[in-house]
Amino acid sequence: MMNRTLFIDPGRCIGCQACVAACRECDSHRGRTMIHLDYVDEGNSAAAMPTVCMHCEDPVAPCAQVCPADAIPVGPDGIVHTAAKERCIGCENCVHACPFGVPKLDLTEMLQYKCDMCYDRTSRGLSTMCATVCPTGAIFYGSYEELLADRPHSRASDLFGFSDSLVQTGCAMVVPAGRESVSVPGGYV
Amino acid sequence: MKRRARPQGWLSDVDPTASAIGSTAAVLLTAAIYAGSRGLRNFDAALIGYATATIFLAFGVTYRYVVWVQSPPTRRYLVKGWKAFLSWRNFRRFPTLVPKAVVSNLAFQTFIKERGMGRWAAHQALFWGVVGATLITFPLTFGWIHFRSAAGTESHYEMYIFGIKTVTFDALSWLGWLTFRGLDITAVLVIAGCAYFLWRRFRDREAMTGQHLAHDLMPLIALVAISVTGLLLTFSSALLKGRYYDFLALLHMGTVVLTLVFIPFGKFFHVIQRPASIGVQIYKRTSLEDKGPFHCKRCGAAFETQTYVEDLEETMSELGLGFEGWAEHCPRCKRVERGIAYRAHVKEGF
């Protein structure tokens, strides 16, 4: 995982949508939210799941690999950026190849949009918009050491299992202590 | 899964296929210049810098294009897009699909209008300025077009295309003015477009996020430099009686040559890539008719087409990603399923 990154803890999420609203305020994608907030068992439970771009490290950015226009740049710091506006041809490969379901596409603008970990803020040492406003700490921005200092009984995992494949990411999920060496399941496909 | 190791040394990075095809393109252009200028008889030696840079451009652009289309996703779209385009059956079913896409996506770039009217207007000025300048400059520097003063007249010129006499016009008429001021008009259009985008690059935080000097600012600066030095040539001949013209001509050629050589490596390459969006549009539209939409394996909602998902899975498999099956679920279901799995296996019942 990256040195300073996002840690997601769905167990703390109360589904308030503050992250969604804050993300929308960002200058780099005005009025459009990059974070997803899904209700896992709608109608039966309040459980909610915030999803940001996990900035896949290994394999490196599948979204960028399946892009036929080489439009998605991956920075030396591991940040997988939104597709370059002049290159995106609107094919949606990134949207459907991402195992986390992160990128969005606006076909009228022929533009892909995805979370770039608030690059305009984090590249200057600031926290992401979503982590800044999250009232419960379900989205935490910082180093792993800072997370452990804040939550001594928690650990984090940056390894996800999809079918028989493992995906290592730049962001991480908060897991209970003792479970950090096991991959987080990507779903039931 | 490990990342692919980069080959060592710059020579091992050279693609032999792309080099061969790029060299062929450069040789073909050279031959076309020779033939089109009637064995260099109509070739203006003073413009040799432009022609040489264009030959290098032909090599560079072709080289990069060949490297680009070799990646699994690009190759797949290239083959499928051309197949759909060249199909007579598709042409009969959707006769207006391609012309509409070309006019809307390539000529008028209506998708940029959705991003903002100012951006669209500026891009149109820039686009038509560059297209106009290219159509005027390239044939001139290749010796494909040249002008001669008409015998027995004071201000009449004859235009020759590939050595064949076409029209005779009065330099003082509106056609003459338009012909000899064509590059000035395109320069004004380019400067107007670039000025807007430069302003945006310094003032708009959306544009400023993640921008790079070489990738985002240099192309604009280069276009402004070409246009301004080009206009200075007119300024010199019209108002300074040709003073400093030779120096300005060299300066202008320097800016043009550097920009032409830069095209294959930088942002300008999107001009070559953009037509791929037409291929994608034809491919998606025709594959929807052929096999119908694809339905999410979990929620059943229709998204994309059967052919598209099959092709994407093949691309993912070719890239060795290993989770092709996930492409059969819509993005929301992927997220929800991950949430359900987290709730069941990581933090039970959160």
Side-chain angles (χ1 to χ4, degrees), chain A residues 30-42:
Chain A
R30 285 181 288 254
R32 193 185 302 260
T33 183
M34 301 290 109
I35 194 167
H36 299 274
L37 191 95
D38 299 288
Y39 296 96
V40 175
D41 190 12
E42 219 163 356

Side-chain angles (χ1 to χ4, degrees), chain B residues 230-241:
Chain B
L231 285 176
L232 283 176
L233 288 171
T234 304
F235 181 71
S236 165
S237 62
L239 297 172
L240 300 181
K241 295 179 180 169

Side-chain angles (χ1 to χ4, degrees), chain B residues 9-63:
Chain B
W10 71 271
L11 261 179
S12 52
D13 283 346
V14 173
D15 188 308
T17 314
S19 302
I21 300 175
S23 302
T24 308
V27 169
L28 284 176
L29 179 62
T30 311
I33 292 173
Y34 184 81
S37 61
R38 293 290 178 100
L40 300 183
R41 273 198 301 276
N42 301 328
F43 186 82
D44 186 348
L47 305 178
I48 194 161
Y50 296 101
T52 312
T54 314
I55 291 169
F56 180 84
L57 169 72
F59 169 81
V61 161
T62 312
Y63 180 97

